[in-house]
Amino acid sequence: MSRGPARLSGLMVKAVAILMVCACAGPAAAPRPQEAADAQSSPSRTKSLTVGVTSALSAMGIAGGSSVIGGWIPMTEMHTDGLVTSDINVRQPIGRLAERVPSLDDGSMSLLTDGRMRVAFTLRKGVTWHDGTPFTAQDLVFTYQLGTNLPKGESDPITLMSSVEAPDPSTFVIYYKQAYRLGALLGPLMYWPLPEHLLGSGYAALATSKNQDDLFRDPYWTSGYVNTGAFRLTRFEPGVGMDFQAYDGYFLGRPKIDAIHIKIFNDDSVLLSSILGGAVDLTPELALRQSAGVPLRDAWKSNGEGTVYVSDNAMRLLSPQMRPPIQIEPAVLDPRVRTALLHALDIEALSDAVNGGNPQLAAWSLLSKADPLYQVTKDTLRPFNYNPDRAKALLGEVGWTPGTDGALRNETDGRLFRTVIWASLGTDEEIGAYADYWRKIGLQVEEHAITAVESRDNSVRAQFPSWDIASVDAFSTMANRASSAETRWIGNRNGYEDPQARRLSAAFQTSLTQNERAQAMRALNEFFISQMVALPTFYQAAWIAERKRIKAFGDFDGGWGAHIGVNGYWGSYYRDAYLWDSE
C-alpha cells in the first residue's frame, strides 16, 4: 500500500492540533498606557490598528536587510513610496512619486545611439519628507551616489546605471548602460529614496572611509527614520516593535487610520495566539507559516472574526544537482529523465496538502497569476501532469526497467536507480511526499533534512548529492551562473549554467515593449520546458490576515505579494495604506 496519502495527511493533523491549542489563547492584550491616555483626552476616537510580524528588525530602510521572510519588508510602501506603484484594482504600473510611468511613446524613455537607455521621471509637486522638507530630484541623485558606495548584487538597478542627473527639482533622469525592461518601474525596493539633508554627512564619511558603519550608525536608520509614505515613524524599539502615525502632509491626502502599531513576535505560533485573542488586527504575507495560517483561517471561518487571504509566493521546485562529479545518478543529468520524474509527481495533491488546502497553487505555469506575462506561460506545464505510467514508459525509453521487485534497474549495468532529496529543516513531510511518489515508480530514495550546521555552509549546501528542494525564481536560475568557490558560492546552488539560457535571459532583460517581453518570455519558457531545468511543483501559500473591523485589503487583486526573488518590485498590497480604515 502507498505511504504517500498518509505522509500528506500528516501535515493537516499538525494544523488541527495547533488550532485546538490556539483556541485556548488568553484574552486580548490590555491597551498600551499611552493609548489609554490618548483615548481619554481626545475628543474623537483615534483610529488605530496593530500589525503582527515575525521579522527580527534591527534598522529601517536599506540598513534593515532585504529578506521578505517575517512580513516586515512587504509592508515597505506603508511608510516609503517609490517612483512607481500599481493602479487601483489592477496590476498596472502608475506613477507615485513620479507623475507617470516613463514610456517610449511619449519620449520620456529612449534608446541612445551609444546603446544606453535614458529614462526621465517627472516628479509630483508638493511631495515632502516626513519632517516637512520638500522632496526633490536632487534627493534621488543623492540616492544614486550613496548606493554606488554600497555593495550591490549584479542585478541591482544601480549597478545597471551609468549615471543620473537632475536638470531641475522636478526632473530625475537615469542613464542605463543598456536597455533594461524594469528601468522605468522603480518601486522602493528597487530604488529606495533617501533624504540628502539628513544623510549627507553620513554619506561624506562613507565616501571617505568606505566603511558602511560610518553611514549606518546614524540614528536616521532607527528612531530618526523619515521618508515620503503615508505613515511616519514615531517609535522604534529593535526586537519589540514600532509605532507609526498618519502623516498630515501626505501628498495623496491624510490617511484615514491615525496610528499603526507594529508588534514583533519571535514565533508565529505566539503571533497566532495573539490574533485569536484579539490583540493583533492584521498580518502581512510571510509573517505566518502554513502551520499557523491554516488554523487561523479555519477559526475565522467558523466565528466570522476576520478574513485570511492566500497569496501565491515563491515557486517550490526540485532542483537537480548539475555537477557531474557530485550527482550520484548520472541519469538525472538527462532532460528526458527529469521529465519522467515530473510525471511521477501529483503536484495538485502536493499543493493541497503542503499548502494547507490550496490545490490551485500547483505550478502549471512558470509565472504566477499576478505576473503581467502570465498568459504567455499559462498551463504550459499541464502536459506533464501526474501520470505514473507515462513516467515509467519514458524511463524505459532511456534504459530503466523495473525488475520483479518493482525496483528500476539500468539495462546496461543492472544498477538500481538511487537518488537523494535534500531540503531545509522542518520540511520532513514535504521531502517524504516527493520520495513516496518516486518510490511508487521504482526509485530508491533517501531523504535528508539538512542540519543547522549544513545550512550555514554554502559550500555544503551546493554539494547536495542529487536533488534539493528550493524556493527560487525559475527564470533567475537560467540567468545566473553556477556557484563555486571562486564566486564564494554565489550563484546557482545546483551548478546550473547554460550559455543559451543566459542569452535568452539577456534578451528578456533588455526587452522594452510588451510584445518584445512576451516573445522573449515565450522563448525562455520553451527552453526551460525542453530542458526541464528543474521540476516545478507548486507556489507556496502566503497567509495574510485582516480582522473584521479593519478595511485594508479591499483592493487585494490590484496588489503584488512580496515574493522571494520575484515580483514585489512595485505595487504591494500596502501601497494604498492611506485608504485603510477601521470601524
Side-chain angles (χ1 to χ4, degrees):
M1 180 179 295
S2 167
R3 294 162 47 218
R7 299 292 285 269
L8 294 173
S9 63
L11 293 165
M12 305 309 296
V13 172
K14 288 188 175 182
V16 172
I18 291 174
L19 176 59
M20 295 174 65
V21 172
C22 293
C24 299
R32 296 179 178 84
Q34 185 60 46
E35 288 179 357
D38 290 345
Q40 290 177 2
S41 61
S42 177
S44 60
R45 184 175 70 88
T46 297
K47 293 183 178 181
S48 66
L49 64 88
T50 298
V51 178
V53 301
T54 50
S55 307
L57 296 177
S58 59
M60 294 288 293
I62 61 173
S66 59
S67 174
V68 298
I69 300 299
W72 171 240
I73 293 298
M75 296 186 68
T76 293
E77 286 185 291
M78 181 195 79
H79 54 77
T80 298
D81 280 326
L83 285 161
V84 170
T85 191
S86 61
D87 205 349
I88 302 297
N89 296 319
V90 294
R91 295 182 178 96
Q92 182 70 27
I94 59 171
R96 177 55 61 97
L97 293 178
E99 288 185 350
R100 60 187 178 276
V101 179
S103 71
L104 293 171
D105 294 336
D106 64 10
S108 54
M109 184 167 69
S110 59
L111 290 176
L112 305 180
T113 56
D114 60 3
R116 291 182 301 155
M117 183 173 82
R118 180 182 185 272
V119 180
F121 293 90
T122 300
L123 304 183
R124 287 178 183 263
K125 306 295 192 297
V127 178
T128 61
W129 298 97
H130 291 151
D131 61 1
T133 302
F135 165 79
T136 72
Q138 181 55 40
D139 290 306
L140 297 175
V141 171
F142 171 76
T143 298
Y144 171 80
Q145 293 169 339
L146 189 151
T148 57
N149 282 272
L150 296 173
K152 296 289 181 184
E154 65 176 283
S155 60
D156 187 281
I158 286 183
T159 67
L160 305 178
M161 300 173 187
S162 60
S163 63
V164 302
E165 63 184 19
D168 59 68
S170 297
T171 306
F172 176 57
V173 181
I174 301 174
Y175 293 91
Y176 290 95
K177 298 170 185 176
Q178 60 181 26
Y180 176 42
R181 68 183 181 89
L182 298 174
L185 302 177
L186 299 182
L189 297 183
M190 296 184 71
Y191 198 82
W192 198 296
L194 297 172
E196 183 175 27
H197 68 287
L198 295 177
L199 289 172
S201 59
Y203 164 66
L206 170 68
T208 300
S209 69
K210 305 301 181 183
N211 184 345
Q212 294 182 59
D213 292 341
D214 288 337
L215 174 70
F216 291 137
R217 68 166 57 99
D218 193 300
Y220 171 84
W221 305 106
T222 52
S223 59
Y225 184 79
V226 303
N227 215 280
T228 59
F231 291 87
R232 63 182 183 87
L233 181 71
T234 58
R235 179 182 69 97
F236 184 92
E237 292 187 53
V240 178
M242 294 163 287
D243 290 335
F244 290 85
Q245 287 185 356
Y247 178 44
D248 292 336
Y250 189 53
F251 59 92
L252 293 177
R254 188 187 190 279
K256 297 179 179 180
I257 294 288
D258 298 296
I260 295 179
H261 308 292
I262 309 295
K263 187 172 182 180
I264 299 171
F265 294 83
N266 293 326
D267 184 274
D268 61 353
S269 63
V270 180
L271 171 56
L272 173 60
S273 296
S274 293
I275 299 170
L276 291 172
V280 172
D281 301 307
L282 183 150
T283 59
E285 66 267 36
L286 303 178
L288 293 172
R289 294 171 297 176
Q290 177 199 310
S291 58
V294 170
L296 177 60
R297 176 198 63 192
D298 294 344
W300 276 2
K301 272 187 177 180
S302 65
N303 62 25
E305 287 298 313
T307 302
V308 175
Y309 300 87
V310 175
S311 169
D312 51 352
N313 189 39
M315 178 188 288
R316 200 72 162 158
L317 48 77
L318 281 158
S319 176
Q321 176 60 259
M322 302 299 281
R323 301 176 180 90
I326 300 175
Q327 174 59 251
I328 64 170
E329 177 44 69
V332 172
L333 301 174
D334 187 334
R336 296 172 296 176
V337 170
R338 298 196 292 271
T339 299
L341 296 182
L342 182 57
H343 273 298
L345 300 174
D346 188 340
I347 63 173
E348 286 190 342
L350 282 163
S351 182
D352 187 34
V354 177
N355 268 333
N358 287 287
Q360 79 281 2
L361 296 182
W364 297 121
S365 163
L366 290 177
L367 293 176
S368 74
K369 294 178 181 178
D371 197 286
L373 292 173
Y374 169 69
Q375 291 298 323
V376 175
T377 65
K378 179 183 178 182
D379 291 335
T380 51
L381 287 167
R382 282 196 181 274
F384 309 99
N385 62 342
Y386 182 50
N387 190 335
D389 290 337
R390 177 63 176 158
K392 293 176 183 177
L394 289 174
L395 290 169
E397 291 175 7
V398 292
W400 292 92
T401 56
T404 56
D405 57 357
L408 283 179
R409 286 180 169 80
N410 186 270
E411 293 177 349
T412 302
D413 58 19
R415 72 181 187 278
L416 291 168
F417 197 130
R418 298 185 182 277
T419 195
V420 183
I421 302 175
W422 279 31
S424 301
L425 284 171
T427 58
D428 302 62
E429 284 93 348
E430 184 181 355
I431 301 173
Y434 293 128
D436 285 347
Y437 278 119
W438 283 351
R439 290 181 183 122
K440 289 178 185 178
I441 62 169
L443 273 66
Q444 311 299 301
V445 187
E446 180 183 338
E447 306 167 27
H448 177 70
I450 64 171
T451 66
V453 173
E454 289 171 333
S455 68
R456 292 191 293 268
D457 189 329
N458 288 336
S459 66
V460 172
R461 291 299 309 272
Q463 297 181 67
F464 60 91
S466 198
W467 295 91
D468 180 40
I469 302 176
S471 296
V472 297
D473 174 15
F475 295 110
S476 293
T477 298
M478 291 193 286
N480 291 340
R481 295 187 182 277
S483 67
S484 65
E486 289 72 25
T487 67
R488 296 186 177 182
W489 301 104
I490 295 173
N492 288 329
R493 180 189 298 166
N494 71 337
Y496 179 79
E497 184 175 325
D498 185 277
Q500 177 65 3
R502 286 178 60 80
R503 283 193 293 271
L504 293 172
S505 298
F508 178 62
Q509 282 294 84
T510 57
S511 58
L512 299 181
T513 68
Q514 184 69 7
N515 184 54
E516 289 175 346
R517 283 192 285 267
Q519 291 181 2
M521 176 54 66
R522 187 171 294 107
L524 270 172
N525 189 64
E526 290 173 354
F527 180 88
F528 184 100
I529 290 175
S530 68
Q531 297 300 306
M532 202 55 73
V533 174
L535 308 187
T537 55
F538 55 85
Y539 288 92
Q540 292 176 286
W543 308 86
I544 303 174
E546 175 186 78
R547 188 168 299 283
K548 180 172 62 176
R549 75 174 184 88
I550 303 300
K551 306 301 178 185
F553 296 122
D555 182 24
F556 191 79
D557 290 339
W560 293 74
H563 293 214
I564 302 173
V566 293
N567 296 345
Y569 298 124
W570 45 268
S572 70
Y573 298 129
Y574 312 91
R575 73 201 187 286
D576 56 2
Y578 69 102
L579 298 175
W580 291 359
D581 208 345
S582 67
E583 295 178 349

